[in-house]
Amino acid sequence: MASTKHSSSAQVPRVLHFQLVDGMQLQINVSGCSAARNVRVEFQLRNCTRSWILHWGFIYHGNPNWYIPTEGPYYQQGALQTPLVKSGQMYVLNIELRDPKIHAIEFVLKDGSCDRWLKLNHGNFHVEIPKNDDPSAFLPPIPNHLIEHKAYLIWESKGRPSSSPGQQKQDYNDALRQLQNQLEKGVSLSELENIYMKENTKSMTQDRGLATATSGAPSSYRRRHDVLKWLQKHSEGKNTGLSSSTLMNLVEKSMGGNNVVSWQSYPIGNYEVVVLSKFVSGDYHVLVTVNMKGSTVLHWGVSKSSPGEWLAPPSDMLPEKSKMVVGACQTYFTDVLGGEGSFQVVDINLQQRNFIGIQFVIWSNGTWIKHNGANFYIGLKPMNPSGKVDGNEKGILKWLLDEIAQREKEAERSFMHRFNIATELTERCKFEGELGLIGIFVWMRFMACRHLTWNKNYNVKPREISDAQDRFTNLLQRIFLNQPNDREIVRLIMICVGRGGQADAGQRIRDEILMIQRNNDCNGGMMEEWHQKLHNNSSPDDVIICEALLNYVRCGFKIDVYWRTLNANGLTKEKLASYDRPIVSEPCFRLDAKEGLIHDLTMYLKTLKAVHSGADLESAIETCIGSAFKSQNFTGAASGSLPLKLQESLNFVKAHVGDEKIGPLMEKLLDSRIELRPLLLTPHARGKDLLFLDLALASAVRITIQRGLKDLNFSYPPEIMFFISLVLENLCLSNVNNEDIIYCTKDWYHTCESYKPNDVPWALQTKAILDRLQLVLSDRSQNYQNKIQPSAQYLGNLLGIEKSVINTFTEELMRAGSSAVLSTLINRFDPTLRRVANLGSWQVISPVEVCGSVSCVNELASVQNKVFRRPTVVIATRVSGEEEIPDGVVAVLTSDAPDVLSHVSIRARNNKICFATCYDQNTLRNLKLKEGRAISIRLNSTNLMISDVSNSNLSLNSFVSIIPQRVTLRKRNFCGRYAVSIEEFTPEVVGAKSCNIKFLRGRVPSWIKIPMSVAIPFGAFEAILAQDINKDIANKVSSLQKLVKGGDMSKLQAIQEAILQMTAPLSLTNELRSKMKGARMPWPGDEGESRWHRAWQAIKKVWASKWNERAYLSCRKANLNHENLLMAVLIQEIICGDYAFVIHTKNPISGDTSEIYAEIVKGLGETLVGAYPGRAMSFTAKKNNVTCPSVTCYPSKQIGLYSRPSVIFRSDSNGEDLEGYAGAGLYDSVLMDEAERVVFAYSGDRLIVDRAFQTSLLSKIAEAGKVIESLYGSPQDIEGVVKDGVIYVVQARPQI
């Protein structure tokens, strides 16, 4: 064949691209040069579906004829033929040339399956070989800043060592050479700029001379990413994972409705099959619909005991137009015509039979239509005896867990069986919401933790296991991509299973063990036993066995090292002997085989990990930067390539994974995850491998920080802040519904940037962020407990799992995650922050000295109705702030952080009960160990001093009585009006809240605003309940009240529910409308009848709160006659403010009458008075100098509440603000419109970051408190709102 001509003077290209037929692409990479005898020519053929053959030869200078080596397979006219070999998504071939006389390679391509040739413009393809290895002469000049930046990265990759000028010059030269190499491979200068310069990393000259910390953390310690880009919120509604197709829309409009059980959609070429399951008149129907034309037949059967079963359906359930054939039913589809289109349907009425599935194929236009070459299978949910479908029961997907338990006997035969069953069940439950995937996860985790049998009396080839794993993990990756809400659960499942792979991956397990035995003369003994085990049923245990053998060989054949490795990973002699093909011998090798064994076992370990260890870091990196990913197209994911920056980060991780200094490694692990994230969220040729890589990187972050904990300097804040930043980023990238973590991370970045050594405000603010983070972690842990533990409990019991394993399932899961690592960092850093902030170990909310016997509870609410017969110190893990303190309790100590002005805090101070939050976990842990023993609590400045005392010392003298003085409720008479204006407010008509609003109006200075108000007076509720329209409800309430008096507290809820059924008389509606409009307040009915209905429901909720359990018990404890309690309703327009506040004009903690104490939150005040988790911002101010407020606590509230313009209905009973009885906060105030819960970052709030604004606003709030106190002449408890800098006071009462 003739050669194509090239000019000898032209530059020899190093990378050639050819666009071939059928979308195929050929890329040729040339490295080395003929003079150095090191030429390598790499052929990469993409977008092809079959093997091609390279028909080739080489030519010498000055001679156009082809030459071939003296050995090799010949073809006519003297040519070599070499097939390209499949590697991942490409076909590749490498040719190495040593002859310096070779000038070029020429070739054509031959289709391996037929006699078809591909040529270049009817001639040969021509690849010229470079004579000299100095391509830099042809390269564009590289800017100095790019070389310096690359040199910085090289220095960083070495662990940031102290560098001499000579070492810095060497890094510069290495950087230049590496950049030139990339230019040679076809990467443009602009691409290099994008890769290396898109982040503002310090240059080598700025940063390299600075010393590094012992952990290897960088000297700047600062990281900042746009974490909002990582926000993943749960989408609303049920997650079906289905795109809404035309056919699905047609079917839903024609045949949907409220009784739909499930949808499934199957695109088949230009057609679609949609299957709908639903109830019709109590019967279970399956409707198979298609958008095909002409005569179409459903060929179908049913499955009773297993999905692989095909049985003919009973004759009494055949649809119309059906006939029975051998072993099946054939039913003609019926046309359905609609205004927007037409489709065909077969309606199968299962009646109330319990089939587990239906199988079918479709005959249309002379062709059988199948699903990926197999039958369509529709899994059916089991029906219970009542004829209803079993669904979610007590937080589980019961039908799924029952079927898993039923099929475990089959699954335990081999991993092939288990993963095939898992694939089928996951397909059936993937649209059931997260409970379906949680069920699969629990099953897989029981398996991964060896609580289930891996193999039992079944011989299966490794490639069959690998294929089954591959199908399962491919399905999981598709769910991850298409069902964003389920990504977190999918990640948990994939951690439990290996990657799997196509047949060649599993087959290599069988082939390579034979090679190891042959190469190293170890055909008998333990190696032969292992060989038989591998052939029979390979498992993740083989990875451990291989690692044990490697350690045994490396240490000089010490058998104790072999057993230590096995035992450390849960493999004992008994376990090895229990395999179907037992391993009972110990390894024994020839001494001279050491190097060969190390080489062969190392390579074999990679093969085993490739199949069984999906989340193994080394294996995951190797898979993703191996030959399948090696492409010079760095601009996108479609070709299967990885961005250069990601490749560099991964190579660094691979080289430094065991470094003692963990800082640079941690940074690169996170940088890798950040670069990887966009690839995970879009379709990618190697999406599954990338997902396993991300799992491995996330796990490596956790393992690395755990390994480095001992070396971290917790007394040096910048270092710890840096590592907390990394762990936070790791959590952001791993979690769905991560809004709370995202905003905490934004706040954390801000506090890192504002760090000042020994700065008290900085320490307070940083501690608030960490307190909020602890709340977030606690909520996430509880969320996992609520969602996952019920499935673990139910399935574990069915499978006979050990009780202790079941009970700790979710707890162990959380302990193994990144949340636990973050919590450890926070707990160890907390003492440093408290020391800087001068906080001590305690926040004393109610300072009282007491003695009592220790009693530990998880929640204070669980014992609030209990009566303790001796003085008791309760140590409670959780205190919400809404609880009553039980009789007999003299102190409540907690690790929780209720607001200082919460209900329980006020109760403690009023009743002289010691109440304090403990910040030191060790102190609290030691106190819990004193369960049942007596302790003494004494005050020392702002801390508590606790010591042991004898139980005999708990005399009546040590018991501070909490029996209140006699308080009476004076019953008020109904004034005959259903609504009163503010001018008509009197103590006989309304409560103290309303009267105080009237008192303040007109007395406060003009810069303090009082909202417009009206009220529903005392007795209105009783009068309306007594009317004929509510007669039945009145009788029900009366009978329920008698039961409550008899001690049946459960009927309190029933009373509240009955009250919510009351009907409003027309007279109430008319009077209330008149009074609200007269006060220039918006009347809800003007916006429609539904708005008035919403307002009426809110009014009834306020009335019903008279019977909430906490209020009822409080009245009984205070010996108040509950029947004399009357409830007025204060109605105010909502001030949609920026902040809400509560002021106590006498410091409630210290009792200092010269000092104001206040708390402030973002949004509505309900998060402050309503026991929402987290602390409010608090401050104090001296009354003689309110312009200098002092912040004592920064906010850690997780959310703010915000409302549209609306009204609020406030409880205003005659049982509040009584002397000697604190009834405030017992009854409900209700917004007409439900408030929106907003998660936010405090780092964007002026009150936190702008010190001048903060001082100005807090001073104004303190001044308002001082003014109102002066009007009353006594300390006041004041609630208010700040809107656009204006102060609004919404209520005031005497401070108790």
Side-chain angles (χ1 to χ4, degrees):
M1 294 186 180
S3 165
T4 56
K5 293 183 179 180
H6 279 259
S7 169
S8 60
S9 62
Q11 177 188 348
V12 177
R14 293 283 179 154
V15 181
L16 297 94
H17 297 273
F18 300 97
Q19 193 69 39
L20 308 179
V21 297
D22 301 329
M24 291 191 299
Q25 296 174 338
L26 175 63
Q27 179 174 310
I28 304 172
N29 303 318
V30 183
S31 59
C33 66
S34 58
R37 301 173 184 252
N38 63 349
V39 176
R40 179 185 175 91
V41 185
E42 181 184 31
F43 297 82
Q44 297 177 352
L45 188 59
R46 296 185 179 84
N47 302 332
C48 60
T49 57
R50 56 190 177 276
S51 178
W52 287 76
I53 296 171
L54 194 77
H55 180 91
W56 65 285
F58 52 79
I59 58 176
Y60 290 135
H61 286 281
N63 191 333
N65 297 319
W66 283 22
Y67 288 84
I68 59 173
T70 55
E71 297 179 359
Y74 293 94
Y75 185 73
Q76 296 173 11
Q77 302 175 354
L80 282 170
Q81 285 196 343
T82 310
L84 283 83
V85 178
K86 191 172 191 329
S87 177
Q89 304 299 308
M90 299 184 296
Y91 285 82
V92 299
L93 171 64
N94 292 311
I95 297 175
E96 295 182 357
L97 304 173
R98 300 288 182 261
D99 189 342
K101 296 179 293 184
I102 295 176
H103 170 64
I105 287 179
E106 291 197 346
F107 65 92
V108 293
L109 290 168
K110 179 185 177 184
D111 190 334
S113 60
C114 61
D115 192 18
R116 180 188 181 197
W117 298 83
L118 286 182
K119 299 184 178 184
L120 179 64
N121 300 326
H122 305 289
N124 301 328
F125 292 87
H126 181 94
V127 181
E128 193 167 332
I129 307 302
K131 292 179 69 174
N132 297 301
D133 200 6
D134 184 21
S136 60
F138 304 102
L139 300 176
I142 302 174
N144 190 60
H145 72 273
L146 184 56
I147 303 171
E148 282 194 349
H149 196 100
K150 177 64 177 173
Y152 173 86
L153 295 176
I154 291 173
W155 168 74
E156 185 183 55
S157 71
K158 295 176 180 178
R160 302 176 183 240
S162 298
S163 300
S164 67
Q167 290 168 324
Q168 292 184 25
K169 183 177 180 182
Q170 181 61 49
D171 288 345
Y172 184 92
N173 292 335
D174 291 343
L176 176 60
R177 186 172 62 256
Q178 290 182 26
L179 292 170
Q180 287 175 340
N181 287 341
Q182 288 174 299
L183 289 172
E184 289 173 37
K185 293 177 180 177
V187 183
S188 68
L189 261 181
S190 61
E191 287 175 313
L192 290 176
E193 290 273 1
N194 289 334
I195 292 165
Y196 293 116
M197 300 303 294
K198 67 180 181 181
E199 289 190 6
N200 185 25
T201 307
K202 290 184 177 182
S203 73
M204 183 168 58
T205 54
Q206 289 176 303
D207 203 26
R208 288 189 59 170
L210 299 175
T212 58
T214 55
S215 63
S219 54
S220 69
Y221 296 101
R222 294 182 182 177
R223 287 175 66 85
R224 177 176 282 275
H225 291 282
D226 185 2
V227 291
L228 286 176
K229 290 181 179 178
W230 308 341
L231 187 64
Q232 298 183 73
K233 295 175 69 172
H234 271 300
S235 56
E236 297 297 323
K238 186 175 180 181
N239 181 12
T240 66
L242 300 175
S243 59
S244 184
S245 66
T246 303
L247 175 59
M248 185 174 290
N249 289 334
L250 283 172
V251 174
E252 185 171 16
K253 288 179 181 178
S254 302
M255 299 180 166
N258 296 326
N259 295 320
V260 172
V261 176
S262 67
W263 289 92
Q264 295 185 59
S265 174
Y266 304 91
I268 309 292
N270 295 325
Y271 302 109
E272 186 178 8
V273 178
V274 170
V275 182
L276 167 67
S277 303
K278 63 179 296 187
F279 275 111
V280 179
S281 302
D283 285 346
Y284 195 6
H285 287 245
V286 176
L287 293 88
V288 183
T289 65
V290 296
N291 55 358
M292 301 165 188
K293 304 295 183 184
S295 179
T296 308
V297 178
L298 187 76
H299 183 87
W300 62 283
V302 297
S303 304
K304 284 186 176 179
S305 58
S306 71
E309 185 178 43
W310 179 309
L311 303 173
S315 58
D316 63 345
M317 58 169 280
L318 302 186
E320 295 180 359
K321 300 193 290 185
S322 295
K323 67 175 182 178
M324 295 297 295
V325 295
V326 178
C329 176
Q330 290 187 344
T331 305
Y332 282 86
F333 280 80
T334 301
D335 289 326
V336 176
L337 301 176
E340 298 181 18
S342 63
F343 59 92
Q344 298 188 77
V345 64
V346 169
D347 182 353
I348 302 172
N349 184 0
L350 301 174
Q351 298 159 11
Q352 295 189 8
R353 290 180 166 90
N354 250 329
F355 298 116
I356 70 165
I358 289 178
Q359 297 204 53
F360 63 87
V361 292
I362 296 171
W363 177 261
S364 179
N365 296 321
T367 304
W368 286 109
I369 297 172
K370 298 186 176 184
H371 180 223
N372 294 330
N375 300 333
F376 291 89
Y377 178 80
I378 307 299
L380 304 174
K381 298 180 180 179
M383 299 181 70
N384 59 38
S386 66
K388 296 297 176 78
V389 169
D390 278 341
N392 301 357
E393 180 179 300
K394 296 179 182 177
I396 64 172
L397 193 60
K398 185 175 181 298
W399 73 263
L400 172 67
L401 302 183
D402 286 340
E403 185 161 343
I404 288 173
Q406 176 191 346
R407 299 179 69 178
E408 175 57 29
K409 191 171 184 63
E410 178 187 0
E412 69 182 14
R413 297 175 72 186
S414 74
F415 277 125
M416 178 190 72
H417 292 84
R418 186 175 300 280
F419 291 131
N420 282 339
I421 294 170
T423 302
E424 177 213 319
L425 293 180
T426 303
E427 278 281 12
R428 288 167 55 187
C429 76
K430 65 184 179 182
F431 301 140
E432 293 277 7
E434 63 185 354
L435 287 181
L437 291 173
I438 284 172
I440 298 295
F441 161 65
V442 169
W443 184 36
M444 290 294 103
R445 185 167 170 86
F446 279 145
M447 179 262 315
C449 295
R450 293 191 174 88
H451 300 306
L452 301 176
T453 302
W454 284 5
N455 176 237
K456 193 170 186 178
N457 303 322
Y458 196 87
N459 187 359
V460 61
K461 299 182 181 72
R463 63 179 176 81
E464 293 172 328
I465 296 174
S466 179
D467 284 345
Q469 281 177 299
D470 194 46
R471 285 190 293 273
F472 183 39
T473 51
N474 283 340
L475 171 60
L476 292 172
Q477 195 272 331
R478 290 195 299 274
I479 295 172
F480 179 90
L481 194 61
N482 298 324
Q483 298 176 206
N485 284 359
D486 297 324
R487 283 174 181 160
E488 200 166 326
I489 299 299
V490 169
R491 292 175 69 93
L492 291 175
I493 299 172
M494 293 187 76
I495 290 171
C496 298
V497 299
R499 180 187 295 108
Q502 297 172 339
D504 60 334
Q507 185 61 36
R508 287 201 304 272
I509 292 178
R510 300 190 79 176
D511 296 343
E512 290 177 15
I513 186 63
L514 292 170
M515 183 191 73
I516 293 172
Q517 289 181 280
R518 182 172 62 250
N519 289 352
N520 300 282
D521 191 20
C522 50
N523 293 311
M526 178 267 168
M527 290 297 286
E528 180 56 27
E529 292 167 356
W530 187 31
H531 166 215
Q532 292 302 321
K533 188 254 181 219
L534 288 161
H535 276 231
N536 179 63
N537 202 328
S538 182
S539 73
D541 282 354
D542 295 314
V543 175
I544 300 168
I545 293 170
C546 191
E547 288 174 337
L549 286 171
L550 263 172
N551 291 342
Y552 164 69
V553 174
R554 284 173 178 150
C555 74
F557 304 103
K558 293 180 180 177
I559 197 64
D560 60 320
V561 173
Y562 169 76
W563 285 111
R564 272 205 306 272
T565 306
L566 292 176
N567 296 161
N569 291 278
L571 292 187
T572 62
K573 287 184 179 181
E574 293 73 22
K575 181 65 180 176
L576 296 179
S578 71
Y579 298 139
D580 280 359
R581 299 291 188 272
I583 300 175
V584 295
S585 304
E586 293 183 334
C588 183
F589 301 114
R590 292 200 333 255
L591 295 179
D592 62 354
K594 180 177 179 178
E595 297 305 320
L597 281 166
I598 290 174
H599 174 271
D600 290 351
L601 287 171
T602 299
M603 300 306 295
Y604 193 49
L605 182 61
K606 292 181 179 180
T607 299
L608 290 169
K609 285 183 173 181
V611 174
H612 294 302
S613 305
D616 174 78
L617 183 62
E618 182 183 6
S619 175
I621 293 176
E622 187 69 29
T623 299
C624 290
I625 61 176
S627 60
F629 277 86
K630 285 182 180 175
S631 165
Q632 302 309 321
N633 178 8
F634 300 109
T635 58
S639 68
S641 63
L642 294 183
L644 269 180
K645 184 174 180 183
L646 175 55
Q647 292 189 54
E648 290 205 338
S649 294
L650 292 175
N651 282 320
F652 178 91
V653 168
K654 189 176 176 183
H656 296 272
V657 72
D659 282 4
E660 186 177 343
K661 294 182 179 181
I662 64 171
L665 172 63
M666 288 281 290
E667 273 197 292
K668 290 300 181 184
L669 286 167
L670 265 302
D671 289 346
S672 298
R673 291 202 69 196
I674 292 166
E675 289 293 316
L676 193 55
R677 185 177 185 274
L679 302 183
L680 296 176
L681 304 182
T682 53
H684 192 284
R686 300 297 295 271
K688 180 178 75 173
D689 292 326
L690 294 175
L691 182 51
F692 271 119
L693 173 61
D694 190 59
L695 292 171
L697 291 166
S699 178
V701 171
R702 175 181 56 81
I703 292 168
T704 302
I705 194 68
Q706 285 175 330
R707 174 167 59 82
L709 270 176
K710 64 183 186 303
D711 298 320
L712 298 186
N713 183 2
F714 284 92
S715 62
Y716 184 50
E719 180 177 339
I720 304 308
M721 291 190 295
F722 167 73
F723 285 107
I724 289 177
S725 296
L726 294 169
V727 177
L728 275 173
E729 290 166 9
N730 199 46
L731 278 171
C732 290
L733 292 165
S734 298
N735 290 317
V736 175
N737 216 25
N738 60 0
E739 189 176 21
D740 44 11
I741 301 175
I742 290 285
Y743 286 118
C744 284
T745 304
K746 280 178 66 69
D747 287 348
W748 188 251
Y749 286 156
H750 176 262
T751 200
C752 291
E753 291 170 353
S754 61
Y755 169 68
K756 297 177 184 176
N758 301 313
D759 182 62
V760 172
W762 172 86
L764 287 172
Q765 195 170 336
T766 303
K767 176 159 175 50
I769 298 170
L770 295 184
D771 288 346
R772 182 183 179 186
L773 269 172
Q774 288 283 45
L775 289 172
V776 169
L777 297 180
S778 175
D779 286 352
R780 297 186 80 82
S781 176
Q782 192 61 45
N783 183 49
Y784 264 36
Q785 190 74 24
N786 295 341
K787 288 181 177 178
I788 296 176
Q789 190 61 29
S791 293
Q793 209 81 37
Y794 186 84
L795 183 60
N797 288 329
L798 289 179
L799 296 175
I801 305 295
E802 228 177 281
K803 189 175 179 62
S804 61
V805 172
I806 297 172
N807 292 341
T808 60
F809 184 91
T810 308
E811 182 184 331
E812 291 298 326
L813 177 65
M814 293 302 298
R815 215 174 265 155
S818 293
S819 295
V821 174
L822 179 58
S823 185
T824 299
L825 286 171
I826 292 172
N827 288 334
R828 293 197 186 183
F829 191 33
D830 188 70
T832 299
L833 293 175
R834 285 190 280 110
R835 184 173 62 253
V836 174
N838 301 314
L839 290 177
S841 298
W842 295 89
Q843 180 181 25
V844 182
I845 299 171
S846 176
V848 182
E849 295 189 347
V850 296
C851 292
S853 176
V854 173
S855 175
C856 301
V857 299
N858 186 41
E859 296 180 344
L860 181 60
S862 66
V863 294
Q864 66 178 346
N865 299 334
K866 184 176 178 179
V867 176
F868 290 87
R869 299 302 178 187
R870 52 189 273 167
T872 301
V873 176
V874 169
I875 300 177
T877 303
R878 297 182 69 87
V879 176
S880 72
E882 287 289 279
E883 300 91 344
E884 285 292 314
I885 298 175
D887 287 343
V889 169
V890 296
V892 176
L893 308 179
T894 180
S895 57
D896 216 335
D899 286 310
V900 172
L901 302 183
S902 66
H903 172 80
V904 72
S905 301
I906 295 171
R907 275 282 187 271
R909 288 192 291 270
N910 290 343
N911 293 323
K912 303 295 186 263
I913 295 169
C914 179
F915 185 32
T917 291
C918 182
Y919 294 124
D920 190 324
Q921 295 301 315
N922 291 327
T923 299
L924 203 65
R925 195 177 301 115
N926 291 334
L927 277 173
K928 289 180 178 180
L929 295 175
K930 298 179 185 293
E931 174 92 37
R933 290 155 55 186
I935 62 171
S936 165
I937 301 176
R938 298 287 178 261
L939 300 175
N940 178 17
S941 183
T942 58
N943 267 333
L944 298 183
M945 302 295 292
I946 297 174
S947 58
D948 293 337
V949 296
S950 169
N951 278 301
S952 60
N953 290 343
L954 298 184
S955 62
L956 291 176
N957 294 331
S958 65
F959 183 30
V960 179
S961 173
I962 59 171
I963 299 173
Q965 63 187 42
R966 183 68 180 173
V967 180
T968 58
L969 281 177
R970 189 167 64 86
K971 192 165 185 176
R972 310 297 206 279
N973 296 319
F974 178 46
C975 65
R977 289 165 291 170
Y978 287 121
V980 291
S981 65
I982 192 169
E983 292 78 16
E984 299 170 303
F985 290 178
T986 69
E988 295 300 317
V989 176
V990 293
K993 282 181 189 172
S994 300
C995 290
N996 287 334
I997 286 294
K998 178 182 179 181
F999 174 82
L1000 291 174
R1001 194 171 183 83
R1003 287 182 170 87
V1004 295
S1006 60
W1007 59 271
I1008 300 176
K1009 308 298 182 184
I1010 307 295
M1012 294 301 299
S1013 307
V1014 299
I1016 299 174
F1018 291 140
F1021 162 71
E1022 289 77 10
I1024 293 170
L1025 184 64
Q1027 293 191 12
D1028 287 344
I1029 54 175
N1030 293 310
K1031 183 178 180 181
D1032 292 342
I1033 294 172
N1035 292 334
K1036 185 175 182 179
V1037 168
S1038 177
S1039 61
L1040 288 170
Q1041 281 182 302
K1042 292 176 183 177
L1043 294 173
V1044 170
K1045 285 183 181 178
D1048 187 356
M1049 306 298 288
S1050 66
K1051 295 299 185 289
L1052 288 170
Q1053 180 66 34
I1055 293 175
Q1056 294 179 72
E1057 291 170 357
I1059 290 170
L1060 295 181
Q1061 305 304 313
M1062 289 171 58
T1063 301
L1066 188 60
S1067 52
L1068 167 71
T1069 308
N1070 291 336
E1071 287 188 41
L1072 193 56
R1073 180 195 299 115
S1074 174
K1075 294 296 182 182
M1076 290 182 71
K1077 288 193 170 184
R1080 299 189 300 278
M1081 294 173 65
W1083 167 245
D1086 287 345
E1087 299 180 59
E1089 189 62 28
S1090 64
R1091 297 288 293 160
W1092 161 241
H1093 176 73
R1094 188 184 289 269
W1096 172 234
Q1097 284 298 110
I1099 293 168
K1100 290 186 289 184
K1101 286 178 181 178
V1102 175
W1103 284 336
S1105 70
K1106 171 182 174 180
W1107 284 272
N1108 78 64
E1109 185 178 11
R1110 183 164 60 87
Y1112 187 86
L1113 289 173
S1114 182
C1115 281
R1116 192 173 69 176
K1117 190 182 293 186
N1119 296 317
L1120 294 173
N1121 185 345
H1122 191 259
E1123 291 184 3
N1124 288 345
L1125 186 90
L1126 298 174
M1127 186 72 71
V1129 182
L1130 173 63
I1131 305 171
Q1132 293 179 318
E1133 189 173 358
I1134 287 179
I1135 309 300
C1136 300
D1138 307 307
Y1139 305 101
F1141 60 81
V1142 172
I1143 307 170
H1144 278 198
T1145 60
K1146 179 181 77 173
N1147 190 319
I1149 301 172
S1150 65
D1152 186 351
T1153 57
S1154 69
E1155 188 172 69
I1156 290 170
Y1157 176 89
E1159 294 185 342
I1160 182 168
V1161 295
K1162 287 171 68 72
L1164 298 175
E1166 272 59 35
T1167 58
L1168 182 54
V1169 299
Y1172 282 75
R1175 282 266 171 84
M1177 185 179 189
S1178 62
F1179 69 94
T1180 59
K1182 291 294 183 180
K1183 292 174 185 174
N1184 61 3
N1185 188 14
V1186 294
T1187 58
C1188 295
S1190 175
V1191 175
T1192 57
C1193 179
Y1194 279 89
S1196 58
K1197 296 281 185 186
Q1198 296 169 268
I1199 64 162
L1201 295 177
Y1202 293 85
S1203 171
R1204 57 173 283 185
S1206 184
V1207 292
I1208 184 169
F1209 300 87
R1210 300 185 185 275
S1211 60
D1212 192 22
S1213 76
N1214 61 338
E1216 300 176 49
D1217 304 329
L1218 301 175
E1219 187 174 350
Y1221 176 68
L1226 290 175
Y1227 309 103
D1228 295 343
S1229 295
V1230 182
L1231 297 168
M1232 187 178 85
D1233 294 286
E1234 186 175 352
E1236 180 187 4
R1237 299 165 64 97
V1238 177
V1239 182
F1240 42 66
Y1242 287 104
S1243 55
D1245 184 357
R1246 286 184 69 193
L1247 187 61
I1248 306 300
V1249 300
D1250 185 336
R1251 196 61 58 87
F1253 174 80
Q1254 180 188 98
T1255 300
S1256 172
L1257 183 58
L1258 300 188
S1259 298
K1260 189 179 287 188
I1261 291 171
E1263 180 66 28
K1266 181 180 174 181
V1267 166
I1268 291 171
E1269 183 189 59
S1270 68
L1271 291 174
Y1272 282 100
S1274 62
Q1276 295 292 302
D1277 174 354
I1278 304 159
E1279 295 181 24
V1281 175
V1282 179
K1283 181 179 181 181
D1284 299 328
V1286 178
I1287 302 293
Y1288 292 79
V1289 172
V1290 299
Q1291 67 181 63
R1293 61 168 66 91
Q1295 182 178 334
I1296 298 176

